Tab-separated table of all heavy atoms in Angstrom:
chain	number	residue	atom	x	y	z
A	304	ALA	N	81.627	-99.684	80.565
A	304	ALA	CA	81.250	-98.891	79.393
A	304	ALA	C	81.504	-99.749	78.153
A	304	ALA	O	82.513	-100.451	78.069
A	304	ALA	CB	82.063	-97.602	79.320
A	305	LEU	N	80.568	-99.697	77.222
A	305	LEU	CA	80.768	-100.429	75.975
A	305	LEU	C	82.015	-99.929	75.271
A	305	LEU	O	82.335	-98.734	75.325
A	305	LEU	CB	79.567	-100.247	75.043
A	305	LEU	CG	78.318	-101.092	75.304
A	305	LEU	CD1	77.264	-100.805	74.236
A	305	LEU	CD2	78.646	-102.574	75.318
A	306	ASP	N	82.696	-100.833	74.585
A	306	ASP	CA	83.877	-100.440	73.821
A	306	ASP	C	83.517	-99.365	72.801
A	306	ASP	O	82.414	-99.358	72.232
A	306	ASP	CB	84.459	-101.647	73.082
A	306	ASP	CG	85.046	-102.669	74.034
A	306	ASP	OD1	85.298	-102.312	75.194
A	306	ASP	OD2	85.226	-103.833	73.618
A	307	ASN	N	84.440	-98.478	72.560
A	307	ASN	CA	84.206	-97.386	71.610
A	307	ASN	C	83.790	-97.878	70.236
A	307	ASN	O	83.002	-97.232	69.539
A	307	ASN	CB	85.467	-96.526	71.472
A	307	ASN	CG	85.627	-95.562	72.627
A	307	ASN	OD1	84.635	-95.130	73.218
A	307	ASN	ND2	86.857	-95.234	72.967
A	308	ASP	N	84.331	-99.026	69.841
A	308	ASP	CA	84.033	-99.515	68.494
A	308	ASP	C	82.764	-100.366	68.438
A	308	ASP	O	82.464	-100.966	67.407
A	308	ASP	CB	85.220	-100.305	67.930
A	308	ASP	CG	85.604	-101.491	68.800
A	308	ASP	OD1	85.016	-101.638	69.892
A	308	ASP	OD2	86.490	-102.271	68.392
A	309	ARG	N	82.004	-100.406	69.544
A	309	ARG	CA	80.759	-101.189	69.551
A	309	ARG	C	79.534	-100.342	69.913
A	309	ARG	O	78.480	-100.878	70.253
A	309	ARG	CB	80.873	-102.380	70.506
A	309	ARG	CG	81.959	-103.384	70.108
A	309	ARG	CD	81.699	-104.734	70.712
A	309	ARG	NE	80.478	-105.340	70.211
A	309	ARG	CZ	80.386	-106.008	69.066
A	309	ARG	NH1	81.450	-106.133	68.281
A	309	ARG	NH2	79.233	-106.541	68.705
A	310	CYS	N	79.673	-99.036	69.849
A	310	CYS	CA	78.522	-98.164	70.082
A	310	CYS	C	78.812	-96.805	69.467
A	310	CYS	O	79.975	-96.441	69.245
A	310	CYS	CB	78.204	-98.034	71.572
A	310	CYS	SG	79.508	-97.266	72.556
A	311	GLY	N	77.748	-96.070	69.209
A	311	GLY	CA	77.878	-94.732	68.649
A	311	GLY	C	77.759	-94.724	67.134
A	311	GLY	O	78.260	-95.629	66.447
A	312	TYR	N	77.050	-93.728	66.615
A	312	TYR	CA	76.846	-93.621	65.167
A	312	TYR	C	76.694	-92.152	64.801
A	312	TYR	O	75.852	-91.441	65.365
A	312	TYR	CB	75.590	-94.391	64.757
A	312	TYR	CG	75.473	-94.667	63.280
A	312	TYR	CD1	76.164	-95.739	62.707
A	312	TYR	CD2	74.671	-93.891	62.461
A	312	TYR	CE1	76.048	-96.015	61.360
A	312	TYR	CE2	74.548	-94.160	61.107
A	312	TYR	CZ	75.236	-95.226	60.562
A	312	TYR	OH	75.127	-95.494	59.214
A	313	ASP	N	77.536	-91.694	63.880
A	313	ASP	CA	77.509	-90.307	63.422
A	313	ASP	C	76.872	-90.265	62.042
A	313	ASP	O	77.495	-90.604	61.038
A	313	ASP	CB	78.940	-89.747	63.385
A	313	ASP	CG	78.974	-88.267	63.024
A	313	ASP	OD1	77.927	-87.720	62.622
A	313	ASP	OD2	80.054	-87.652	63.130
A	314	TRP	N	75.615	-89.841	62.003
A	314	TRP	CA	74.868	-89.854	60.733
A	314	TRP	C	75.518	-88.975	59.663
A	314	TRP	O	75.388	-89.237	58.465
A	314	TRP	CB	73.432	-89.353	60.968
A	314	TRP	CG	72.591	-90.253	61.799
A	314	TRP	CD1	72.444	-90.227	63.150
A	314	TRP	CD2	71.756	-91.329	61.343
A	314	TRP	NE1	71.577	-91.210	63.573
A	314	TRP	CE2	71.133	-91.893	62.485
A	314	TRP	CE3	71.466	-91.857	60.087
A	314	TRP	CZ2	70.243	-92.970	62.396
A	314	TRP	CZ3	70.577	-92.922	59.999
A	314	TRP	CH2	69.979	-93.474	61.138
A	315	ASN	N	76.205	-87.937	60.101
A	315	ASN	CA	76.718	-86.930	59.152
A	315	ASN	C	78.177	-87.138	58.766
A	315	ASN	O	78.734	-86.338	58.012
A	315	ASN	CB	76.551	-85.526	59.754
A	315	ASN	CG	75.101	-85.191	60.030
A	315	ASN	OD1	74.236	-85.427	59.182
A	315	ASN	ND2	74.831	-84.647	61.216
A	316	LYS	N	78.806	-88.180	59.254
A	316	LYS	CA	80.230	-88.380	58.981
A	316	LYS	C	80.449	-88.872	57.553
A	316	LYS	O	79.811	-89.823	57.097
A	316	LYS	CB	80.814	-89.396	59.962
A	316	LYS	CG	82.314	-89.568	59.847
A	316	LYS	CD	82.856	-90.511	60.923
A	316	LYS	CE	84.368	-90.659	60.830
A	316	LYS	NZ	84.890	-91.564	61.887
A	317	ASP	N	81.343	-88.209	56.846
A	317	ASP	CA	81.670	-88.600	55.475
A	317	ASP	C	82.703	-89.722	55.476
A	317	ASP	O	83.438	-89.917	56.451
A	317	ASP	CB	82.232	-87.401	54.697
A	317	ASP	CG	81.194	-86.305	54.501
A	317	ASP	OD1	80.004	-86.652	54.349
A	317	ASP	OD2	81.567	-85.113	54.527
A	318	ARG	N	82.763	-90.435	54.374
A	318	ARG	CA	83.734	-91.529	54.245
A	318	ARG	C	85.152	-90.972	54.298
A	318	ARG	O	85.515	-90.117	53.491
A	318	ARG	CB	83.506	-92.271	52.936
A	318	ARG	CG	84.458	-93.439	52.745
A	318	ARG	CD	84.257	-94.130	51.409
A	318	ARG	NE	85.117	-95.285	51.284
A	318	ARG	CZ	84.702	-96.514	51.024
A	318	ARG	NH1	83.421	-96.751	50.862
A	318	ARG	NH2	85.558	-97.514	50.927
A	319	PRO	N	85.947	-91.424	55.251
A	319	PRO	CA	87.322	-90.907	55.342
A	319	PRO	C	88.210	-91.489	54.246
A	319	PRO	O	87.948	-92.568	53.707
A	319	PRO	CB	87.771	-91.379	56.730
A	319	PRO	CG	86.948	-92.594	57.003
A	319	PRO	CD	85.637	-92.379	56.316
A	320	GLU	N	89.240	-90.762	53.935
A	320	GLU	CA	90.201	-91.258	52.944
A	320	GLU	C	90.909	-92.497	53.491
A	320	GLU	O	91.251	-92.573	54.661
A	320	GLU	CB	91.229	-90.179	52.613
A	320	GLU	CG	90.654	-88.988	51.873
A	320	GLU	CD	91.743	-88.009	51.462
A	320	GLU	OE1	92.941	-88.363	51.610
A	320	GLU	OE2	91.399	-86.910	51.019
A	321	GLY	N	91.101	-93.470	52.607
A	321	GLY	CA	91.787	-94.681	53.010
A	321	GLY	C	90.940	-95.666	53.773
A	321	GLY	O	91.459	-96.650	54.325
A	322	PHE	N	89.613	-95.443	53.844
A	322	PHE	CA	88.750	-96.385	54.545
A	322	PHE	C	88.781	-97.726	53.811
A	322	PHE	O	88.653	-97.778	52.585
A	322	PHE	CB	87.318	-95.856	54.610
A	322	PHE	CG	86.400	-96.688	55.461
A	322	PHE	CD1	86.392	-96.550	56.841
A	322	PHE	CD2	85.558	-97.626	54.888
A	322	PHE	CE1	85.553	-97.316	57.632
A	322	PHE	CE2	84.715	-98.400	55.671
A	322	PHE	CZ	84.720	-98.241	57.047
Side-chain angles (χ1 to χ4, degrees):
L305 280 182
D306 292 343
N307 281 331
D308 58 355
R309 297 202 64 83
C310 63
Y312 196 81
D313 185 350
W314 293 91
N315 299 314
K316 186 176 181 179
D317 294 326
R318 181 182 183 124
E320 292 185 9
F322 187 81

